[in-house]
Amino acid sequence: MIDVIIPVYNTPLEDLKRCLDSIDSQTFKDYIVYIIDDGSDEVTHKWLDNYVTDKDNFKVRHVVNGGVSKARNLGIEISNSKYFTFLDADDMVSDKFLEEAFTLIEENDLDLIVGGYREICDGKVLRVRSSLENLKIYENDTLKLFLDKLISGKVQEDNKEIGSAPLGRIYTRLYRRSVLDNLRFREDVFMSEDTLYMIELMNLVKRVGLTSLVWYDYYLNSYSISNKKLDEKVIKRNLKFIEEIYLLMKNEIDPRIKNSYKIRILKGIRPLYENVSVAEKKNILELEYVREGLLGVDLSGYKDILKEEEFLRELNLNEDINNW
């Protein structure tokens, strides 16, 4: 009934066991786990084979390293249950995740149900991200409220019930396969590819549920991709993502959603700009999609936007734009 897709690449065995044990302990038992071993070393390869030896509903596919998006796409293609979900190999889920998510998606005829997560570092919960309501269903015109928060990362008065729920992530949620079966991850994007997946997904779904239930433990680890040093490769990957957001913004007709793309560009550029050299700052601002993406952004109505406002003032976009 539910497929769980887990890409693995040299995950420390202690973390990997914690992850897989959290699925093995589920109260809901009608599931199959597809572990995509993305070219891990021999130790990880053998450990995975040993782990699934006595578990009929855990399957391992060993492939040549091709990146997390390719691994996830393979997981989608070889699985075939009515619903599926994603789990990162160094994280874990609550033992009632599949049961509670299945109940909500079935009883409310949803295409997607999204829960919350705990952010954990050194054994301590740093913060909890979740919605403010037990269950909120978005459909028809209200899907725009969900999409605005997904893209911009900020709430307004009319969608404040979303709270800090992680809408741009791909985990802590359950997907209906019949709606999304042809959707795949971009294999040429190596930063925030999950956000692009979620944005494209919103063109396919009709009913989305958001719950305050917290299902996922997200571990901040020194070896994770999100903690990579800001070198030239990482800068290029960030800029690639921003360019993709810009292209979506260019084709967007709805004014509110178009503006949310601009805010996303602003949010992406700000930390990047603050952590590069003077020469790199100049190069970034000379990019056409950066300049155009930052022009005309409207921050009014959004909450907790102070840093973005300060950054815009620092750039003085409207004072001497012709000299960029």
Side-chain angles (χ1 to χ4, degrees), residues 162-226:
I162 294 175
S164 61
L167 305 191
R169 307 286 189 172
I170 60 164
Y171 43 73
T172 194
R173 61 202 63 198
L174 194 61
Y175 306 79
R176 183 185 295 273
R177 182 182 298 276
S178 61
V179 179
L180 313 175
D181 201 28
N182 293 322
L183 182 62
R184 296 293 183 270
F185 289 87
R186 287 278 303 274
E187 295 181 13
D188 61 331
V189 177
F190 302 97
M191 189 72 69
S192 299
E193 71 286 338
D194 50 350
T195 299
L196 290 178
Y197 184 88
M198 287 301 303
I199 291 173
E200 292 183 34
L201 177 150
M202 291 304 295
N203 293 320
L204 304 174
V205 296
K206 303 299 182 184
R207 280 173 61 85
V208 175
L210 183 61
T211 175
S212 58
L213 291 173
V214 177
W215 290 324
Y216 197 97
D217 284 351
Y218 171 64
Y219 286 83
L220 296 173
N221 300 307
S222 59
Y223 56 81
S224 68
I225 292 176
S226 59

Side-chain angles (χ1 to χ4, degrees), residues 245-262:
I245 290 294
Y246 165 75
L247 293 174
L248 291 170
M249 182 269 289
K250 289 280 286 185
N251 293 323
E252 180 58 52
I253 298 174
D254 185 274
R256 176 168 181 167
I257 303 304
K258 196 178 193 72
N259 188 64
S260 66
Y261 280 120
K262 288 178 172 287

Side-chain angles (χ1 to χ4, degrees), residues 129-185:
R129 294 189 58 183
S130 66
S131 71
L132 303 181
E133 295 191 6
N134 292 333
L135 178 64
K136 173 76 174 182
I137 295 175
Y138 297 86
E139 59 184 336
N140 302 320
D141 290 343
T142 62
L143 279 171
K144 183 193 300 184
L145 306 181
F146 187 98
L147 183 58
D148 182 10
K149 171 59 166 62
L150 192 167
I151 298 170
S152 70
K154 301 293 183 180
V155 297
Q156 297 196 56
E157 187 63 32
D158 58 0
N159 64 359
K160 63 182 180 181
E161 75 282 347
I162 294 175
S164 61
L167 305 191
R169 307 286 189 172
I170 60 164
Y171 43 73
T172 194
R173 61 202 63 198
L174 194 61
Y175 306 79
R176 183 185 295 273
R177 182 182 298 276
S178 61
V179 179
L180 313 175
D181 201 28
N182 293 322
L183 182 62
R184 296 293 183 270
F185 289 87

Side-chain angles (χ1 to χ4, degrees), residues 66-123:
V68 67
S69 290
K70 191 170 185 177
R72 286 172 178 153
N73 286 340
L74 176 60
I76 295 172
E77 290 159 11
I78 65 177
S79 60
N80 59 12
S81 294
K82 183 177 181 179
Y83 302 108
F84 66 92
T85 188
F86 299 103
L87 176 56
D88 283 353
D90 55 347
D91 297 331
M92 64 177 290
V93 289
S94 69
D95 58 3
K96 291 187 177 181
F97 164 48
L98 295 183
E99 178 184 352
E100 292 176 341
F102 176 79
T103 299
L104 287 171
I105 203 169
E106 282 272 301
E107 290 183 351
N108 296 282
D109 191 26
L110 304 173
D111 298 323
L112 173 72
I113 181 68
V114 180
Y117 77 78
R118 286 173 287 267
E119 197 171 278
I120 299 175
C121 184
D122 296 329

